[in-house]
Amino acid sequence: MTPGNNGASTPEDDDPFGYLYADGQANGAQPPSGGYGYPNSVNRVRPVGTRQYGAPQGQAAPPQQGAYGQPQGAYGQPNAHYAAPETFPGGGGPGAPQQPSGRGGGGGRRGPNTKGLLIGAVAVVAAVVVGIVVAMTSSGTDDDKSGDEAGGGTTPTQSQSTEPSPSASDDDAEKEVDLPSADAKAMRLGGPASLASDVEGAESDGGVYVANLNQPGASVTWTVNGIPEDGLYTLFTTYSAAGEDQSMTLTVNGKEFGSKLNLGNFAQAKDGDFAKGWTKTYAWPTLNKGTNTITLSCTDGDKCDVLLDQFSLKKGQVKN
């Protein structure tokens, strides 16, 4: 063996990567030619895409199936499984065809469930908003309570005023004040007028009433005390009339009332049947606060054939 000659197996041949370097290529280093699994072959590094997997030793690897059932390139040719992602169908490279996203042919995966994600996000936002509103409401309620307990430092409102205001009960009490009334015995009689109790049905004490009012000059006068204030009042007169309607002159505080007091036969009693003729009429005079005089008299032109039972008052203009 001559110096510098190491025999058939030179160092560059022993270096499995020699063919990758410039000096190794200059010395004649060649890529390995044996297939994986052949006798005396060296398991050397191969360019990306040239190695075959899955074939048993001593046998050539069967051709790989490409997308949609197409065979891969021959041994030594670039393997599609090791190609750049953009070269795959649907890989996203420029001009690459898009894979169908449905469940049909091609077996592609479905895209992300964006609708479900959107619904979930909306639900989270709604829950946060509800929580904030509840927190703000609770805080405002606590603040109001603390303000009330401490007096709040606010200006008193009408409902907080310390001055007493008229209540409904006070008004009702004033309205419910009993105004004066007078039986026949309490009236001052004038002319031929007189008291009687022959006819039943009078409401005055003892059934006493005023009779003989059907002659000119006959009268009854009621002096009223305790009128609470000036204003309109309703004067009720209880009487009995039978047969024709009657009317008499009403005088209030010395002034003749605007019209005759109507004493109609509202009970529809037959002529002379005074026991069945008891009824009531009214007028609306203006009275003064304190004492007033009310006179019912028979004057020329009046029809005075009645029996007078009572006088009574109510505040305002009412009819019963």
Side-chain angles (χ1 to χ4, degrees), residues 131-149:
I132 293 174
V133 172
V134 171
M136 294 178 64
T137 304
S138 301
S139 176
T141 302
D142 294 340
D143 293 342
D144 293 342
K145 290 181 178 178
S146 62
D148 292 342
E149 293 171 357

Side-chain angles (χ1 to χ4, degrees), residues 44-308:
R44 304 177 187 275
V45 178
R46 291 173 174 78
V48 175
T50 62
R51 182 182 292 273
Q52 297 292 323
Y53 292 90
Q57 290 187 359
Q59 297 182 11
Q64 299 295 323
Q65 293 295 322
Y68 303 103
Q70 298 299 324
Q72 292 283 358
Y75 177 77
Q77 297 299 319
N79 191 323
H81 292 285
Y82 292 95
E86 60 269 14
T87 64
F88 284 97
Q98 299 295 323
Q99 288 284 358
S101 60
R103 294 186 178 181
R109 292 185 178 182
R110 295 181 61 186
N113 188 358
T114 56
K115 183 176 181 180
L117 295 175
L118 179 59
I119 294 175
V122 172
V124 171
V125 173
V128 172
V129 172
V130 170
I132 293 174
V133 172
V134 171
M136 294 178 64
T137 304
S138 301
S139 176
T141 302
D142 294 340
D143 293 342
D144 293 342
K145 290 181 178 178
S146 62
D148 292 342
E149 293 171 357
T154 58
T155 303
T157 61
Q158 182 177 0
S159 61
Q160 297 171 335
S161 175
T162 58
E163 296 180 2
S165 58
S167 63
S169 59
D170 295 338
D171 294 339
D172 292 340
E174 182 178 348
K175 292 179 180 179
E176 292 176 359
V177 170
D178 291 335
L179 293 174
S181 62
D183 287 348
K185 293 180 181 179
M187 301 175 190
R188 187 176 73 247
L189 306 181
S194 61
L195 297 178
S197 57
D198 305 21
V199 178
E200 296 181 355
E203 297 180 1
S204 294
D205 184 24
V208 177
Y209 54 88
V210 179
N212 301 318
L213 290 172
N214 56 347
Q215 301 177 27
S219 66
V220 293
T221 300
W222 177 30
T223 302
V224 187
N225 297 313
I227 299 301
E229 60 184 356
D230 297 347
L232 286 171
Y233 291 82
T234 301
L235 172 67
F236 291 101
T237 303
T238 304
Y239 68 98
S240 176
E244 294 183 358
D245 294 334
Q246 309 294 307
S247 63
M248 299 179 66
T249 301
L250 180 66
T251 303
V252 178
N253 294 326
K255 295 182 179 180
E256 188 173 326
F257 194 66
S259 60
K260 303 287 185 179
L261 182 62
N262 183 11
L263 299 171
N265 182 10
F266 304 127
Q268 300 296 314
K270 293 182 179 180
D271 189 12
D273 192 1
F274 288 97
K276 295 182 179 179
W278 296 104
T279 186
K280 184 182 290 187
T281 190
Y282 63 88
W284 292 330
T286 299
L287 301 180
N288 302 323
K289 181 179 179 180
T291 302
N292 296 262
T293 58
I294 298 173
T295 301
L296 185 62
S297 59
C298 184
T299 61
D300 293 339
D302 292 343
K303 293 182 178 180
C304 311
D305 193 8
V306 297
L307 305 177
L308 184 61

